[in-house]
Amino acid sequence: MKTALLSAFLLIFSGALFGQAFVANYDEAKMPAYTLPDPLLFNNEQPVKDAVGWTKRRAEILELFENEVYGKTPTGKVHLAFRVISENREALEGMAIQREVQLTLEKDGNTLLINVLLYLPKAGKKHPLFLGLNFSGNHTISDDPGIAITNSWVRNNAAKGITANKSVESTRGSDSASWPVRALIERGYGLATIYCGDLDPDFDDGFKNGVHSLFPGPRSSNSWGTVAGWAWGLSRVLDYLEKVKEVDAKRVVVLGHSRLGKAALWAGANDPRFAIVVSNESGCGGAALSKRIFGETVERINTSFPHWFCENFRKYNRKEEDLPVDQHELLALIAPRPLYVCSAEEDQWSDPKGEFLACAAASPVYKLLGKEGLPGKEFPDLQQPLTGTIGYHIRSGKHAINLYDWTSFLNFSDIYFAKR
Ligand code: GCU
């Protein structure tokens, strides 16, 4: 009864959210039969037998995701410069250093400015660190009055007093519940975050602003979209973190929630320097299997957010069965590095079961590489994390990233970093 009510609510909610008649399926019995592509079979159907074979197969899968889902990230040298714009060495009652750093990315005379907000424990020398994009500006993650309000484009929101796509003072600290900085510092971890809109504002402008301004030129059906732009930016921040003396760049966890979780996964797949990858409720185009057609679908995401993926992804609107890849293979691209995926019970739009099954279906690749993958095949109870080289939890509650989630990421990261 409770589940039926929840489903009805989600159905109406997601339809209303996009102002269109869209009926999402929340009934396992109504899902189509589907077959997942086998990550351990080459495109020519020959089996992958060992780690050397996997390197070749990995390149095939990466190329399929580039051409059919996220788009190809342009190549070409981008020059990186940085300057510290503020520093507080007594943050969090003297426990942490809080630093804002402006990165200038320059290519062929075009520049992009991005602001990194860093927190580092004062005790100790080199720290492991979480790196993640935020939704609304660095100033929203803490109520500290020293953090600059973002100058980048933000979505208008009358309730918050944002009317001219410019953020306002009253939003300071508005997302602090998603960023428990003190808990991280107490556990010996640093944090680096940047506003996703510094890299690419989250609206469809025909790929002109943000990262796209660094790579102008004709676009094609496999040109990158915003999710790939965000992922690329995470790697540029890692380039910078490699130069920060208080950061152990070999222990950087890339993480993201929801659309920013999709970006974290694609960043982790492309950039092996990320030691651990964390996806929080990343759903469709993230950790959830597309072929299940449960919750958000390929057609729905391409319609609501036409700028997120490459044009080719639209070929699979209502044709998920034709997709040559599915999201378990995105997770497999992270192997053998530790990966943690989490879902929330009331977030059926992101298809928790589909996220869990993707972890299970990525596991044979981990096993081939001598790692455990996801332990167990049963969908776990609420608040019962599964912890192998792939970790997974589903918690009670809504679509959000909260202290329970972060505590689980910390516990997971502790295990793998202690082993080094
Ligand atoms: C929408 C979208 C999801 C996305 C989410 C978010 O619900 O449909 O794909 O993950 O926004 O980013 O919060």
Side-chain angles (χ1 to χ4, degrees):
M1 181 61 187
K2 209 170 146 206
T3 320
L5 274 174
L6 181 69
S7 305
F9 168 75
L10 285 166
L11 202 135
I12 294 161
F13 171 73
S14 47
L17 188 67
F18 301 110
Q20 288 172 40
F22 170 70
V23 182
N25 173 41
Y26 292 110
D27 183 350
E28 293 260 335
K30 294 201 177 121
M31 275 171 20
Y34 65 91
T35 312
L36 293 180
D38 185 340
L40 292 177
L41 279 187
F42 285 103
N43 289 345
N44 67 7
E45 313 259 293
Q46 292 304 303
V48 177
K49 296 206 176 103
D50 52 23
V52 176
W54 169 247
T55 316
K56 294 183 189 138
R57 172 62 180 148
R58 189 184 186 281
E60 285 187 352
I61 296 178
L62 198 63
E63 196 178 345
L64 286 170
F65 276 109
E66 285 175 344
N67 284 329
E68 308 299 323
V69 183
Y70 301 100
K72 260 189 177 339
T73 299
T75 49
K77 185 99 189 97
V78 172
H79 181 260
L80 170 78
F82 60 90
R83 72 184 177 95
V84 174
I85 50 179
S86 82
E87 185 173 82
N88 174 3
R89 300 191 69 84
E90 298 300 328
L92 300 172
E93 283 94 52
M95 274 195 315
I97 301 168
Q98 175 188 298
R99 191 181 292 155
E100 288 175 284
V101 183
Q102 184 169 75
L103 308 189
T104 305
L105 303 178
E106 192 266 314
K107 185 168 181 296
D108 304 329
N110 296 317
T111 53
L112 182 69
L113 301 179
I114 58 182
N115 277 11
V116 182
L117 174 63
L118 262 178
Y119 284 93
L120 298 159
K122 251 169 63 184
K125 285 212 169 89
K126 276 198 175 283
H127 307 283
L129 173 138
F130 283 87
L131 165 63
L133 301 167
N134 63 69
F135 277 82
S136 309
N138 294 347
H139 66 283
T140 62
I141 81 137
S142 156
D143 56 13
D144 186 300
I147 303 168
I149 307 256
T150 183
N151 281 323
S152 296
W153 178 96
V154 289
R155 190 172 305 289
N156 282 340
N157 182 330
K160 290 186 173 165
I162 303 176
T163 52
N165 301 117
K166 279 274 157 232
S167 196
V168 290
E169 176 63 38
S170 57
T171 61
R172 188 180 292 289
S174 55
D175 200 20
S176 56
S178 306
W179 298 91
V181 183
R182 181 180 296 269
L184 267 66
I185 297 291
E186 281 171 355
R187 301 264 306 245
Y189 285 77
L191 171 72
T193 184
I194 53 176
Y195 171 41
C196 64
D198 281 7
L199 286 162
D200 200 18
D202 195 1
F203 70 98
D204 184 15
D205 77 325
F207 307 100
K208 301 275 182 314
N209 59 16
V211 287
H212 303 289
S213 65
L214 295 181
F215 299 95
R219 287 183 59 85
S220 55
S221 56
N222 69 351
S223 291
W224 65 344
T226 295
V227 170
W230 288 335
W232 178 86
L234 286 164
S235 286
R236 301 296 68 77
V237 179
L238 183 54
D239 294 343
Y240 160 69
L241 292 170
E242 286 181 331
K243 302 177 201 298
V244 180
K245 69 174 193 309
E246 300 98 331
V247 173
D248 180 353
K250 296 214 164 2
R251 289 187 295 161
V252 172
V253 185
V254 66
L255 102 163
H257 168 58
S258 207
R259 67 196 68 186
L260 305 179
K262 307 181 208 296
L265 287 170
W266 187 231
N270 278 287
D271 192 337
R273 294 175 299 166
F274 289 116
I276 297 182
V277 182
V278 174
S279 148
N280 195 74
E281 299 157 30
S282 58
C284 182
L289 295 173
S290 299
K291 291 179 192 279
R292 273 167 53 85
I293 318 200
F294 186 103
E296 187 170 28
T297 62
V298 170
E299 180 188 45
R300 173 50 33 198
I301 205 164
N302 281 328
T303 309
S304 312
F305 308 101
H307 55 296
W308 280 2
F309 301 94
C310 71
E311 210 180 293
N312 276 341
F313 196 38
R314 299 180 199 167
K315 292 191 299 196
Y316 307 102
N317 289 353
R318 289 179 187 256
K319 290 208 175 72
E320 283 87 346
E321 70 276 17
D322 291 349
L323 265 166
V325 280
D326 208 335
Q327 300 305 113
H328 62 303
E329 293 175 296
L330 173 69
L331 305 187
L333 291 176
I334 293 157
R337 289 165 292 154
L339 161 72
Y340 197 86
V341 171
C342 29
S343 314
E345 187 190 22
E346 291 176 45
D347 180 24
Q348 295 296 314
W349 183 242
S350 302
D351 187 13
K353 186 84 178 289
E355 299 196 310
F356 168 79
L357 291 172
C359 293
S363 292
V365 175
Y366 277 79
K367 294 205 175 95
L368 180 85
L369 301 176
K371 303 285 177 187
E372 188 184 10
L374 185 73
K377 292 209 162 64
E378 296 298 313
F379 191 55
D381 290 336
L382 299 176
Q383 283 83 244
Q384 296 298 323
L386 295 174
T387 317
T389 319
I390 302 179
Y392 176 85
H393 78 234
I394 176 162
R395 61 155 172 78
S396 51
K398 296 190 193 323
H399 183 64
I401 181 167
N402 67 18
L403 185 58
Y404 176 83
D405 301 316
W406 279 98
T407 306
S408 308
F409 312 154
L410 284 163
N411 295 345
F412 184 76
S413 304
D414 274 356
I415 298 171
Y416 289 98
F417 289 157
K419 284 186 185 159
R420 293 187 162 210

